[in-house]
Amino acid sequence: MNDHYLKKLDRVTAILTQLQSKPLVRAQDLAEKFDVSVRTIYRDIKTLENAGIPIIGEAGSGYSLMDGYKLPPVMFTKEEVLSFITAEKLMQKFSHQSLGSHYRTAMEKVRSVLKYSDKNLIQNIEKQIDVFNYHPETEDHIKDILPIILESIAEKRQLTMEYKTNEGSVSMRTIEAVGVFFEFNYWYIMAFCTLRNDFRQFRVDRILQIFKTQNPFLQEYGQINDYRQNGNGNKTIVKLLVEKKIINHLSNSKKYYGLIDEKETDEGMELTFETEWINDGFPRWLITFADYATILEPEILKTRLNELLTDISAKHQKTSANR
């Protein structure tokens, strides 16, 4: 069998996998995925049909497998099996507790269809991989909270929840969840809040109660990153001059705090931010490396930083005096 037919066999098998895993598959998407022409995809679909695979659809609209059609278990390559093991370790340390049990069940099903040799591979290698997580785990008030949120997104149904703010006050909110994300050891919901008539982030571990309603979304939403990157709050431009020797330590956090530009100068790295947290979040973050940074603008940030430093100094002086 020559190289051309081997490539076609691999591609046709992969197309079958796509049909198994998605409700509708477009020929254009398959052509882009496998870097071939749409006409080639049409021929591949015809090959599957000739092999007895009941495919519904036609060129231009998309393809799917006939409902109820069962295929034999998918066979995995050795590299795919190793990737499952690594992903499982990551899920054990970083997944939300409401998803962990579901993932373990899913992995048991994956293991059940592996060849005997691959099962031995897992047994020999899974104890040689570990992920070290130094952050404390958070506890939620609701056992299966993330699945509830994800179901509401998929079904486009509103959620009502009892939410505890950072200050300790509790309020009832009706939200339309756009998505969920994990950042700095916490899970968040990005949602449209009907009370505030604006987009808000809610920390999942602060939700005391949550219910999925039968009320549909009042509007359509884009991808979650559209709202995380383009918030609707009042933003302030901040410019800092930071010593080069610590810039690597800020690689992750600087993006979170709104970095929009970075350039090297003779004096250091000039960082430009766009932030909504000029009065609290941003200056508190700046304190962690303030001895290596100079505020270029705005003046309000200099004033706020000095206020925080004065409060901190006064607090510790009072504590020392009372001992």
Side-chain angles (χ1 to χ4, degrees), residues 212-306:
K212 187 175 64 174
T213 75
Q214 294 303 311
N215 302 325
F217 283 4
L218 301 177
Q219 56 186 313
E220 292 290 329
Y221 300 104
Q223 299 179 4
I224 184 172
N225 286 338
D226 297 338
Y227 301 93
R228 293 193 63 216
Q229 295 170 356
N230 303 307
N232 293 329
N234 296 320
K235 294 186 177 181
T236 303
I237 297 295
V238 172
K239 291 189 177 182
L240 304 178
L241 184 64
V242 180
E243 294 184 25
K244 297 177 184 178
K245 63 183 179 181
I246 68 145
I247 203 68
N248 288 336
H249 298 287
L250 307 178
S251 57
N252 293 323
S253 58
K254 65 186 179 183
K255 294 181 180 179
Y256 177 79
Y257 284 95
L259 181 73
I260 58 174
D261 187 48
E262 183 175 6
K263 61 182 179 182
E264 186 173 357
T265 70
D266 293 337
E267 293 79 21
M269 299 298 296
E270 186 176 307
L271 308 181
T272 303
F273 300 84
E274 195 175 49
T275 181
E276 299 176 16
W277 310 322
I278 193 66
N279 292 319
D280 194 46
F282 196 94
R284 291 183 184 279
W285 171 64
L286 179 56
I287 283 177
T288 63
F289 61 98
D291 50 336
Y292 296 102
T294 301
I295 301 172
L296 301 179
E297 61 175 86
E299 287 297 323
I300 188 175
L301 179 59
K302 297 179 182 179
T303 301
R304 180 58 181 145
L305 183 65
N306 285 330

